Amino acid sequence: METRSGIIPMPNQVIEGQGTYLLQGEKRVAVSPNSASMLVFGYLTNALKNTAVTLKPVSPGEQADICFLADSSLADEAYTLDVTSGGIKIASNQTGAGLFYGIQSLLQLMPAGIYDTRQKYEKKIELPAIHIADAPRFSHRGAMMDVARNFQPKEEVLKFLDLMAMYKMNKFHFHLTDDQGWRIEIKKYPRLIEIGSRRSQTQVGFCDYYYPRRFDGKEQRGYYTQEDIKEIVKYASDRFITVIPEIEMPGHASAALAAYPEHSCGLGKTYVVRDYFDVFDEVYCPKEGTFRFLENVLTEVIDLFPSHYIHIGGDECPKKAWKKCEHCQVLMKREGLPDEEALQSWFIHRIEQFVNSKGRDIIGWDEILEGGLAPNATVMSWRGEKGGMEAARQKHHVIMTPGSTCYYDHYQESPEFAPLAIGGFLPLDTAYNYNPLPAELTSQEQSYIIGTQANIWGEYIQTPEHFEYMAFPRLLAMAEVQWTQPAHKDFYSFTRRLDKEFERLDYCEVNSCRNFYEVSLTGTWNSTQNVYEVTLKTFCPDVEIHYAVNDSVILASSPLYTAPVRVAEDAVIYAAVYRKGKPLGKITHKSFTINKATGNFYTCVPLPSSDKVNPGMGLSDGVRGYARELRRWVIFDADTVQMTFDLRKPISVHKAAFAFLWRPYDMLWPARAVTASVSNDGKEFTTVGNQKLTYDFSPTEGTRFPVSLSFPEALGRYVRLEFLSGGGCLRGYYHEGQPSRLAVDEIELY
C-alpha cells in the first residue's frame, strides 16, 4: 500500500482525499470532560507547544475545528481519523486508547519540524485530506529494555516510552533483575540495592552468540527508587502503555543472592554480583524462607505496578545446585517430583499461585514449559517459536519473541564495522518481515498468540546513545509487525515512509542507526557464467549507488551500480548511496578473495557442528571470517577434520591459506598441524605438504590467526586439507582440559 501520508505503522485503511486543512492560530477542540479525553487533549497540546498553534477545549456539540468523538461501535484501541478542508474529527470508544492512537497518526501527518526544540516552528501546518479507519492486529505490542546488565537512567526510560507511544506500542517490558544487577528498590530488603545494584567491573570485548569476554575495570551501578518507579508507571500510563516488570527466578539470581545468600542452596558460600555474562549455577533454593522472601518482594512489586502481568523470568535455570542440595532432593521425594525439571515447574506453580492470589497472572520465558506449564501462565517464546506453538496448543496465551527476529541486541549491519554487539545478525528487512503467527497452527491455535515484542538486551549497551542505536529504526519495523495486517504491509512502502521519518527521529534527538543509507555488499559465485559477482544494495529507496574497486574515494562521478560487479582477483569494493548528486551515508566496503578454491564445493569429515553462512560453500564463498562474530566461521567438534575440495578439473596448486579463530571462552583453539594432499580421482590422495603450527597467544581474545602452507607445485582435481585440532583447552584458560573446538574461515588455494 503506497500513500502520501507517511504514517508508521501503516494504518489498515487509508483513503486520501482532495484538498488540505490549515492548522494555525487558535483552534477549538470539542472534547468530552472524561479523564481519558482530557488526557489526550493535554498530550496534543504539549505536542504542539513548539508551534504557532494553540488549542482551546470546548464542550461537545459546540462549534469546533477539531472534534474528539465517542463511538461505542469501535473496539478498544481502534479509531477513525477524518481530515477535510472543514476540520479534523477523531473517533474512538470511551477507553481513550483509540483516540490517543488517532492523535499519533494526526501528528505524523504534520511536518517533522514541529519536534525541533531549537526554534519555534512558525510555518503553517498544512494537513492532507484523508480518511483513516484503523485498529491493531495484536493486543500485546511490546518492547523490552534490559537495565539489569547495564543500568539506564530514568530519563532514558521516559524518552523510550515517548518513542514507543509515537508508534502505537502499548507494553513496556522492564527487565529489572539479573545476575549482573538488581535495579528496583525493595523497602523490606534494602541490601538488594545496597549490594545488588552495583558491580566492580563492566565488561567489554568479543562474543559469539551470547556472552561478552573481557573487562574494562569500571564500576557499574544504578537502581530506581520506588518514587522513580511510580513516575515511570504514571508516565507510561499517560501514554496508554502498561509497564510489565520482570523479577527473575529461579535462575539469574546472583545479584539477589549476593545480598541475601541464605536463599541459595550453598550455605556458607559467598556470592557476588556478576561482572561478566553467562548462565550461572547459583539459583534460588525452594525453601520456605526463600518463598517468603520472593513473596515479599513480589508484594512490593505488585503494589508499584498495576500491570495484570508480572514477568517472573523462568529461563536458563541450571539444576546443578538443586541436584546437590539435600533439601531439594528431600522436597522432590516428598512432592513426588521425578527430576529437577519437575522441581522447576513446581517452583513456578507455587509462585504463580501467589501472584494469582493478588489478582495477577505471570508471564515466563518458554523454559517454564519444562516439567509442565503453570495453569494460568502466559509464555514468552524466545528460543524460536516451538515453545510458543506448544503453549498455544495447550490453550495458553503466547507472546512470540524469537531471538532470530526479535532480539535487537543483534547486529543490524556488517559486524566488521558496527559497534560491538552480542552477536547474531538481524537486519531491518528481516525484522520487518516477521510474522508472529506460525502457519503450522490452526486459526483457533493462532488466536492464543496475543502479540509480539522486540527485546533489547543490555549486555553490551552501556549508554543511552548505544541503546537507541540498537533499537532504532528496527523498532519501527516491529511496530508495523504488531499493528498492521499482513495484507497492508509492504517493505518498499515502509522504506519510503522511514526515509522521511528519520527527520522526526533526528528532531527527537534519537541516535538511530543509519545503515539504512549505506550499501551492503554480498559476493557469490555465478556458476552459470563461471565468474565471481558482488551485489550492492541499500534499504533506502529512490537513490543511486556509486562504487569503485580498490579505491576508497567515492564521488557522484564514480561508476553507477546497475548490475553485479564482476571480480577476477582479490579486491576491495567501496560504495556509497547518493541522491540528487549528494551522499546520504558513509562509504562502506568489503574485501573479497578470489582464488582457485572460490566457488567450488567441498565435503567435510566430520560434518561441521555449526555452518551458518552458505553451507557447503561457506569456506569458498570469497569472504574471510572476522573475529567479532561467528556467523562466517565453520566450526567443528572433532580432533581431526578433513576438507576435500572438488576443483572440477586438474589444476596446479602450490599453496593453501586459511585462518583459525582463538576464543577460549567458546572453547575455540587453533589447529596444531595441517596436512595437504591432492588427487585426480578423489580416492587416492598424495601428501604434498604438512606443517606443525604454533601461535603467539596474548591475553586478548577474539583473535584471527591467519596461516598458510606452501608446498611443491602439484597437479590435481581434488585438494584435501587435514587439520589436527587444538586438543584440550589449555590450563589457566576457560574450560581447561575439555576438548577444544576448531573454527575455520575461508580456504584459499593458489
Side-chain angles (χ1 to χ4, degrees):
M1 180 189 297
E2 188 60 47
T3 71
R4 300 190 309 272
S5 66
I7 297 173
I8 298 174
M10 171 62 76
N12 285 294
Q13 185 187 68
V14 179
I15 301 174
E16 295 179 342
Q18 298 295 320
T20 59
Y21 176 73
L22 200 60
L23 189 64
Q24 62 177 346
E26 183 179 275
K27 295 295 180 182
R28 294 160 61 89
V29 182
V31 54
S32 65
N34 70 65
S35 58
S37 296
M38 291 305 297
L39 180 68
V40 175
F41 173 80
Y43 181 93
L44 179 60
T45 301
N46 185 66
L48 296 175
K49 66 183 179 182
N50 201 44
T51 73
V53 178
T54 58
L55 302 180
K56 179 182 178 180
V58 298
S59 299
E62 291 189 48
Q63 185 177 358
D65 306 287
I66 303 172
C67 296
F68 292 175
L69 305 175
D71 184 345
S72 59
S73 69
L74 292 173
D76 288 352
E77 301 190 303
Y79 70 93
T80 61
L81 168 63
D82 288 280
V83 179
T84 67
S85 58
I88 299 168
K89 295 179 180 179
I90 307 173
S92 72
N93 69 17
Q94 295 286 354
T95 64
L99 180 61
F100 183 76
Y101 298 137
I103 291 296
Q104 298 305 327
S105 293
L106 178 67
L107 289 169
Q108 287 198 50
L109 295 174
M110 300 182 191
I114 69 171
Y115 290 90
D116 186 357
T117 57
R118 297 168 299 180
Q119 56 187 346
K120 194 170 184 67
Y121 189 84
E122 300 285 0
K123 298 178 182 178
K124 298 176 182 178
I125 298 175
E126 199 169 20
L127 300 173
I130 198 168
H131 168 75
I132 295 174
D134 204 10
R137 183 185 184 196
F138 293 106
S139 61
H140 184 107
R141 304 183 302 280
M144 186 275 285
M145 176 185 275
D146 172 21
V147 296
R149 273 55 179 271
N150 282 299
F151 180 75
Q152 296 293 338
K154 179 184 66 177
E155 293 72 21
E156 180 64 13
V157 177
L158 300 179
K159 182 180 179 181
F160 188 58
L161 290 168
D162 270 328
L163 293 164
M164 287 179 61
M166 286 165 59
Y167 303 106
K168 304 182 177 75
M169 305 180 87
N170 67 348
K171 306 296 181 188
F172 176 57
H173 177 175
F174 208 9
H175 185 79
L176 290 163
T177 74
D178 215 295
D179 295 301
Q180 295 79 24
W182 185 283
R183 306 297 180 197
I184 178 173
E185 178 188 26
I186 301 297
K187 300 285 190 182
K188 193 174 184 66
Y189 300 107
R191 292 205 304 272
L192 285 171
I193 56 173
E194 292 169 2
I195 295 173
S197 70
R198 63 181 67 186
R199 63 176 186 266
S200 61
Q201 301 179 88
T202 301
Q203 199 168 47
V204 297
F206 298 98
C207 69
D208 58 345
Y209 191 75
Y210 287 106
Y211 309 120
R213 304 294 176 249
R214 53 190 171 95
F215 313 102
D216 65 7
K218 297 178 183 177
E219 184 180 53
Q220 217 281 352
R221 64 169 68 189
Y223 67 92
Y224 307 100
T225 67
Q226 293 202 358
E227 290 306 309
D228 290 334
I229 294 295
K230 291 174 184 177
E231 181 182 350
I232 290 168
V233 169
K234 175 66 164 55
Y235 197 85
S237 177
D238 287 349
R239 286 149 182 79
F240 296 87
I241 295 172
T242 301
V243 183
I244 301 173
E246 180 175 358
I247 306 298
E248 284 269 16
M249 63 185 79
H252 288 285
S254 298
L257 295 178
Y260 295 94
E262 61 268 28
H263 302 308
S264 72
C265 292
L267 295 179
K269 182 178 177 180
T270 299
Y271 295 90
V272 297
V273 180
R274 290 294 187 166
D275 54 11
Y276 65 99
F277 310 109
D278 198 349
V279 176
F280 299 102
D281 290 331
E282 44 255 40
V283 299
Y284 289 117
C285 185
K287 298 178 288 194
E288 288 305 310
T290 301
F291 285 114
R292 282 195 300 274
F293 167 79
L294 291 173
E295 288 170 3
N296 289 333
V297 167
L298 288 172
T299 295
E300 292 195 32
V301 169
I302 288 169
D303 288 343
L304 288 167
F305 294 92
S307 165
H308 176 74
Y309 283 122
I310 303 296
H311 203 306
I312 51 82
D315 63 311
E316 297 178 326
C317 177
K319 312 301 191 296
K320 183 178 178 180
W322 289 353
K323 290 178 184 292
K324 295 181 177 181
C325 174
E326 181 179 353
H327 169 80
C328 292
Q329 296 304 310
V330 170
L331 173 63
M332 289 168 58
K333 184 175 292 186
R334 186 187 75 215
E335 298 292 332
L337 304 175
D339 52 33
E340 285 72 23
E341 281 68 30
L343 178 58
Q344 176 171 334
S345 179
W346 182 88
F347 189 112
I348 298 297
H349 277 65
R350 173 138 179 193
I351 292 296
E352 184 193 40
Q353 289 171 2
F354 175 77
V355 173
N356 290 164
S357 75
K358 298 287 187 177
R360 312 293 183 88
D361 284 332
I362 66 167
I363 296 178
W365 302 104
D366 56 56
E367 284 94 332
I368 67 172
L369 286 157
E370 297 167 2
L373 190 55
N376 301 312
T378 292
V379 171
M380 197 165 271
S381 188
W382 73 280
R383 297 178 301 177
E385 294 182 328
K386 182 179 178 181
M389 290 192 290
E390 181 181 342
R393 288 176 177 133
Q394 295 180 31
K395 299 184 178 181
H396 282 261
H397 285 154
V398 173
I399 300 159
M400 284 295 192
T401 181
S404 61
T405 52
C406 298
Y407 273 38
Y408 290 4
D409 54 337
H410 290 186
Y411 286 104
Q412 57 192 311
E413 55 194 319
S414 174
E416 293 170 278
F417 313 112
L420 191 63
I422 202 167
F425 186 58
L426 177 52
L428 182 67
D429 54 347
T430 301
Y432 183 86
N433 290 322
Y434 177 56
N435 184 354
L437 299 183
E440 298 93 320
L441 297 180
T442 66
S443 58
Q444 183 181 13
E445 291 166 342
Q446 288 179 347
S447 69
Y448 288 96
I449 297 174
I450 61 174
T452 182
Q453 77 176 31
N455 297 320
I456 304 111
W457 293 101
E459 285 92 338
Y460 282 89
I461 299 174
Q462 298 185 36
T463 66
E465 293 77 18
H466 194 181
F467 174 83
E468 292 169 11
Y469 188 91
M470 301 306 290
F472 296 94
R474 288 182 292 187
L475 200 73
L476 278 66
M478 173 57 78
E480 199 142 304
V481 170
Q482 295 170 339
W483 184 276
T484 308
Q485 294 293 340
H488 301 144
K489 285 182 64 196
D490 177 78
F491 185 66
Y492 179 70
S493 166
F494 174 73
T495 61
R496 291 177 67 87
R497 287 175 282 128
L498 180 58
D499 185 26
K500 299 174 183 177
E501 189 65 11
F502 273 112
E503 184 181 8
R504 184 159 72 138
L505 290 173
D506 285 346
Y507 284 134
C508 292
E509 299 181 343
V510 177
N511 184 43
S512 54
C513 173
R514 291 307 180 94
N515 77 311
F516 180 85
Y517 295 104
E518 296 165 5
V519 180
S520 64
L521 304 92
T522 306
T524 187
W525 183 261
N526 185 330
S527 57
T528 302
Q529 300 294 323
N530 209 34
V531 66
Y532 193 82
E533 296 179 333
V534 179
T535 300
L536 312 182
K537 71 174 185 177
T538 179
F539 291 132
C540 186
D542 308 321
V543 294
E544 296 177 343
I545 295 175
H546 292 272
Y547 74 95
V549 180
N550 298 325
D551 184 354
S552 62
V553 178
I554 303 295
L555 305 170
S557 58
S558 299
L560 175 67
Y561 177 78
T562 57
V565 181
R566 295 188 171 185
V567 180
E569 59 186 8
D570 286 9
V572 182
I573 297 182
Y574 297 82
V577 173
Y578 276 75
R579 178 182 285 153
K580 297 180 180 179
K582 295 182 179 180
L584 298 184
K586 69 175 185 283
I587 296 171
T588 56
H589 67 278
K590 188 176 284 291
S591 300
F592 300 94
T593 176
I594 314 302
N595 54 84
K596 294 176 181 179
T598 307
N600 290 304
F601 288 99
Y602 56 85
T603 58
C604 297
V605 179
L607 292 174
S609 59
S610 178
D611 191 1
K612 295 182 179 179
V613 177
N614 304 325
M617 291 289 287
L619 294 172
S620 58
D621 62 2
V623 182
R624 294 177 177 136
Y626 34 87
R628 274 192 171 186
E629 203 251 349
L630 291 181
R631 198 167 53 96
R632 298 215 64 93
W633 294 85
V634 180
I635 300 175
F636 299 87
D637 295 330
D639 192 56
T640 302
V641 175
Q642 281 187 353
M643 301 173 187
T644 304
F645 284 78
D646 182 356
L647 304 182
R648 292 174 286 183
K649 63 181 180 180
I651 293 178
S652 179
V653 293
H654 67 276
K655 180 175 144 181
F658 35 84
F660 307 111
L661 182 59
W662 181 54
R663 292 242 295 258
Y665 189 91
D666 297 303
M667 306 171 71
L668 296 174
W669 286 78
R672 290 172 288 171
V674 58
T675 299
S677 55
V678 299
S679 170
N680 285 317
D681 60 7
K683 298 177 181 178
E684 298 293 330
F685 282 82
T686 301
T687 299
V688 293
N690 56 71
Q691 184 177 327
K692 290 185 178 180
L693 305 174
T694 59
Y695 308 89
D696 179 19
F697 294 125
S698 72
T700 302
E701 298 184 30
T703 302
R704 178 184 183 270
F705 285 113
V707 177
S708 64
L709 173 65
S710 297
F711 44 84
E713 196 161 312
L715 186 69
R717 172 177 171 173
Y718 300 91
V719 176
R720 174 174 291 169
L721 297 175
E722 182 172 286
F723 299 111
L724 182 63
S725 78
C729 298
L730 297 187
R731 184 177 180 182
Y733 292 91
Y734 287 112
H735 314 291
E736 85 174 48
Q738 297 184 40
S740 67
R741 303 190 298 158
L742 183 69
V744 188
D745 74 351
E746 192 75 0
I747 302 294
E748 305 167 32
L749 298 175
Y750 300 95

